[in-house]
Amino acid sequence: MTPPRQRRTAGGTSGAPRQALSRKGAVRRAQAVTTYGVGSLVAFEQESFIVSGLDGADASWSEKEAPKVHEHRLARSLGVTHFRLPPGSDERSTDGMRVRRFPLMHSCPGCEKLQTISKFNPPAGKATCQDCAKDLVPSRFVIACEKGHIDDFPYWKWLHRDNRPGGTTGGCGGTLMLHSTGRTASLRSIVISCTCGTVKEVSMEGAFGRQALWDLKIRCEGRRPWLKGAPDEKDCTAAPRTLQRGASSVWQPVLKSALSIPPWSDGSTDPLDEIWDQLRECETEREISLVLNGKFNGNPPINAARVAELLVAETQDDPDPESDEAQLPDAQYRVLLRQEYMKMTEGNPERADRREQFVCEPPKEDHRNRLGPFGLDRPMLVKRLREVRALKGLTRIVQADAVPDKQGAPLSLQPLNWLPAMEVSGEGVFLRLENSRLDAWSRRPEIRHRVARMTNRHDDALVKAAPKGAAPRRSPGTPRMVLLHTLAHVLINEWSLDAGYPAAALRERLYSDATMAGFLIYTATSDSAGSLGGLVAQGEPKTLAASLLSALRRACWCSADPLCIESGPSGTYGANLAACHACLMLPETSCEHNNILLDRALLVGTPEDPTIGFFRNLLDH
């Protein structure tokens, strides 16, 4: 990653950035989407930066180091034409992602001054105090609001709370000072003072209160420092909150993902991404042929008849306009998941005439004798898959799942026809529960009441977390969803112990609504742990039956019992029941729902009522 231009240097190696910008550090490409994406804070040694927006990235990201990524269904649902991998940032790369210094407020451990870095008059590209020659320390605190704005902590206003006429930001003429008393490790030991002598020193104690800044009439200035030249949104009415610079709530990505499935999974349509809008206006194959020949100089990579078929298939990506689902903010994404479910149910065998990125076949052994008692339909072995995960936006303070699709802070000042994304290739096992048995179980009043205890708390939390004026999301929790989610977790934990996969190398993908009742467990990383080749073998009926029975038996007992199985609402939002880190929790990268909406009692029952467990009959033998 590289900060904005400081100065041009002479010479340089072949791996130096093309614009002679100083290199500050490196992150993996996947981290540039999931951990250190646009608008996030990243620390390198003693310095802190914010990752710049995507304005100008088309020019600075070379095609070689930031190639295009194609996934037609996901691109269409997000309103873009393609995606791009973030550029590499190792020593061999000739460019990288831009960063800007943030926060600007720094303190000197020598002279104890607290001011913007420019007032220390440091050498170009350095963060040292000109007087003390000591490394400056970036402010530990920033402020942010639920609309995604972020700014330096207003130390002057915090200190001069009773003496700042007109709300000025530093009109006393003094210099702020920061020191730690060292008496405790709390905020009370961090003391701010001013050389003006008109105010008494104050500590940082109380700065993290939800209304602490608002009560002092400190308002959000609408700053977006990751977007170069972005005007301040002065009309922001959200209350600013104090945050630790390294807190996870400072930046949370809004991610969307999709699997490559037929007819888009053979790569033949990738060159057409830039002209789909033109092709959709064509009414005949002749018109399609004219567009193709014009784009590819008479040598198109795909014929007009095939494009006509794809245009018909594309319309199936749209929700039925007459249905209630069409009114939901994520209707397009729901259809995308339903298509994946159908393709994995149908299967897609390997083809000799073209390279498929999606190969899904049933096991050769009949599944009914071994898996029928579990209430499982035929499993599918996904021998090859490709997933694209795109960074759509970002949130601060509020969880990304609480923000409507059209809300959240932007990645660029000007609209772009692409988004940053990463792709993962791997394998997986797709499992489905029998709908008839699942429906009969989920209609039981005691089951519905137990799940409602979780979903009601989740709904309440989503309402409170939703930005003002925005319609809050609803909890996705239903009896079948919680059951499928919990079963996926116990199976991932079982395979991580039995098959040699680290839990972080596996990931779940849930398919749950009135017409779907399944989940996919697949390799979720692009390193060696994601390509061991043994995950598909776990889906063979004999092996799968043994794994399921072992996983369910493990779920009967937790080292935190009886507290765990008898616990009330717990976890984030209070949206879990019998679930803890000793039995069900997974690494964040493995779970679609941030380890909420889990309850192992729905699998195995409780001591008071064993019958609520969907699989309890199997465990009684």
Side-chain angles (χ1 to χ4, degrees):
M1 292 189 170
T2 51
R5 182 191 304 270
Q6 300 286 346
R7 60 179 181 178
R8 238 175 232 287
T9 58
T13 65
S14 58
R18 289 179 295 170
Q19 295 189 22
L21 305 179
S22 59
R23 190 188 305 275
K24 290 298 182 181
V27 298
R28 298 193 302 272
R29 275 177 165 167
Q31 289 180 311
V33 172
T34 60
T35 309
Y36 299 120
V38 171
S40 67
L41 300 188
V42 55
F44 296 120
E45 297 181 352
Q46 299 296 323
E47 300 179 271
S48 175
F49 303 92
I50 191 168
V51 181
S52 297
L54 299 178
D55 296 290
D58 275 323
S60 63
W61 291 11
S62 68
E63 286 281 349
K64 181 179 179 181
E65 295 189 10
K68 290 183 178 180
V69 175
H70 304 277
E71 172 42 53
H72 184 83
R73 295 164 58 247
L74 183 61
R76 187 164 180 261
S77 70
L78 297 180
V80 297
T81 62
H82 62 281
F83 306 98
R84 294 189 69 178
L85 283 176
S89 57
D90 57 26
E91 292 301 323
R92 296 171 297 176
S93 64
T94 60
D95 223 320
M97 296 183 67
R98 301 289 190 268
V99 296
R100 306 171 67 82
R101 193 177 296 280
F102 185 86
L104 297 181
M105 292 296 290
H106 284 61
S107 61
C108 174
C111 61
E112 297 186 343
K113 291 180 180 178
L114 174 65
Q115 55 194 7
T116 59
I117 188 172
S118 60
K119 292 184 178 180
F120 286 100
N121 195 27
K126 301 291 184 180
T128 57
C129 178
Q130 186 74 1
D131 297 330
C132 306
K134 291 184 177 292
D135 290 335
L136 298 175
V137 180
S139 171
R140 287 173 51 189
F141 312 108
V142 296
I143 62 171
C145 78
E146 295 178 350
K147 293 186 177 180
H149 303 130
I150 189 169
D151 203 355
D152 282 276
F153 182 84
Y155 289 101
W156 192 90
K157 290 183 178 181
W158 178 254
L159 175 61
H160 294 76
R161 61 188 69 180
D162 299 320
N163 184 22
R164 47 186 176 95
T168 57
T169 59
C172 66
T175 299
L176 295 180
M177 310 293 286
L178 179 148
H179 73 278
S180 176
T181 63
R183 296 173 184 171
T184 68
S186 68
L187 293 173
R188 184 181 300 177
S189 293
I190 302 175
V191 177
I192 313 297
S193 60
C194 183
T195 60
C196 70
T198 61
V199 292
K200 295 181 179 180
E201 66 181 23
V202 299
S203 73
M204 291 294 296
E205 186 176 24
F208 283 79
R210 183 177 292 270
Q211 295 292 322
L213 300 179
W214 189 265
D215 291 343
L216 294 178
K217 298 183 179 180
I218 298 174
R219 303 295 183 252
C220 177
E221 298 290 338
R223 301 273 165 76
R224 297 175 290 174
W226 70 97
L227 300 177
K228 184 179 180 180
D232 296 342
E233 296 182 325
K234 296 288 188 180
D235 59 346
C236 180
T237 57
R241 295 267 302 276
T242 304
L243 301 172
Q244 288 271 10
R245 173 164 49 89
S248 60
S249 55
V250 168
W251 183 84
Q252 297 198 42
V254 179
L255 297 172
K256 295 292 183 181
S257 66
L259 302 181
S260 295
I261 60 173
W264 313 97
S265 55
D266 61 0
S268 63
T269 63
D270 293 352
L272 308 182
D273 278 347
E274 302 292 342
I275 59 172
W276 276 112
D277 286 340
Q278 294 175 259
L279 293 172
R280 292 184 188 107
E281 296 176 358
C282 297
E283 297 180 355
T284 65
E285 287 189 17
R286 175 177 173 78
E287 293 177 359
I288 293 174
S289 183
L290 291 173
V291 173
L292 292 175
N293 288 327
K295 171 67 176 178
F296 299 103
N297 298 321
N299 187 28
I302 186 171
N303 60 49
R306 172 69 173 160
V307 172
E309 294 175 0
L310 292 172
L311 289 172
V312 173
E314 190 183 64
T315 61
Q316 299 174 0
D317 293 352
D318 299 323
D320 182 358
E322 302 297 326
S323 67
D324 294 337
E325 184 183 58
Q327 309 305 317
L328 298 175
D330 58 348
Q332 190 85 39
Y333 195 66
R334 287 170 178 257
V335 175
L336 182 147
L337 290 175
R338 194 169 298 124
Q339 289 177 340
E340 294 176 5
Y341 182 83
M342 293 175 59
K343 286 298 180 183
M344 281 188 282
T345 301
E346 297 168 0
N348 188 54
E350 181 78 80
R351 296 183 56 171
D353 59 337
R354 65 186 183 212
R355 171 72 175 177
E356 271 285 350
Q357 296 170 326
F358 178 78
V359 176
C360 179
E361 298 175 334
K364 294 180 180 179
E365 180 186 350
D366 190 350
H367 72 284
R368 284 170 289 190
N369 289 337
R370 296 187 185 275
L371 300 179
F374 292 91
L376 284 176
D377 274 331
R378 182 181 65 173
M380 298 298 287
L381 310 180
V382 186
K383 299 181 178 179
R384 188 181 305 143
L385 63 80
R386 171 180 178 264
E387 181 194 24
V388 175
R389 301 176 198 159
L391 177 62
K392 181 186 177 184
L394 64 103
T395 66
R396 306 193 195 278
I397 300 177
V398 297
Q399 294 280 346
D401 61 2
V403 178
D405 276 356
K406 295 183 179 180
Q407 304 253 345
L411 303 181
S412 62
L413 194 56
Q414 301 299 326
L416 298 175
N417 66 344
W418 61 275
L419 291 170
M422 59 176 289
E423 57 183 344
V424 175
S425 297
E427 59 182 1
V429 177
F430 174 65
L431 302 178
R432 290 178 297 147
L433 291 179
E434 295 176 356
N435 260 313
S436 58
R437 180 173 168 181
L438 186 56
D439 285 342
W441 172 83
S442 61
R443 283 195 295 265
R444 293 173 56 182
E446 62 270 32
I447 302 296
R448 302 181 72 85
H449 173 72
R450 187 172 178 90
V451 173
R453 294 172 64 192
M454 296 183 280
T455 55
N456 288 343
R457 285 179 174 267
H458 192 200
D459 277 332
D460 290 344
L462 293 178
V463 169
K464 293 177 182 177
K468 291 182 180 179
R473 288 181 179 271
R474 301 292 297 176
S475 173
T478 61
R480 69 165 52 195
M481 180 270 174
V482 177
L483 177 68
L484 290 166
H485 192 200
T486 307
L487 181 60
H489 274 233
V490 299
L491 198 50
I492 288 176
N493 278 328
E494 179 67 22
W495 284 345
S496 72
L497 295 171
D498 187 51
Y501 287 91
L506 301 177
R507 184 176 172 87
E508 66 181 5
R509 192 167 179 85
L510 301 179
Y511 301 91
S512 174
D513 65 12
T515 62
M516 301 188 295
F519 59 87
L520 170 70
I521 298 177
Y522 61 107
T523 52
T525 62
S526 55
D527 60 15
S528 59
S531 57
L532 294 176
L535 185 58
V536 165
Q538 302 302 314
E540 295 292 342
K542 181 179 179 180
T543 305
L544 179 58
S547 295
L548 280 168
L549 190 57
S550 176
L552 292 171
R553 284 173 175 163
R554 288 181 191 276
C556 290
W557 184 84
C558 170
S559 60
D561 279 341
L563 294 178
C564 179
I565 195 66
E566 296 176 356
S567 67
S570 61
T572 306
Y573 305 136
N576 286 335
L577 284 178
C580 70
H581 286 282
C583 57
L584 284 185
M585 301 297 193
L586 293 176
E588 288 184 0
T589 54
S590 299
C591 180
E592 274 192 337
H593 294 283
N594 298 314
N595 279 321
I596 64 171
L597 300 173
L598 296 167
D599 181 14
R600 61 189 173 91
L602 297 185
L603 300 179
V604 299
T606 65
E608 294 78 17
D609 188 2
T611 65
I612 66 172
F614 185 84
F615 299 100
R616 187 66 202 185
N617 292 338
L618 290 169
L619 301 171
D620 290 336
H621 298 301

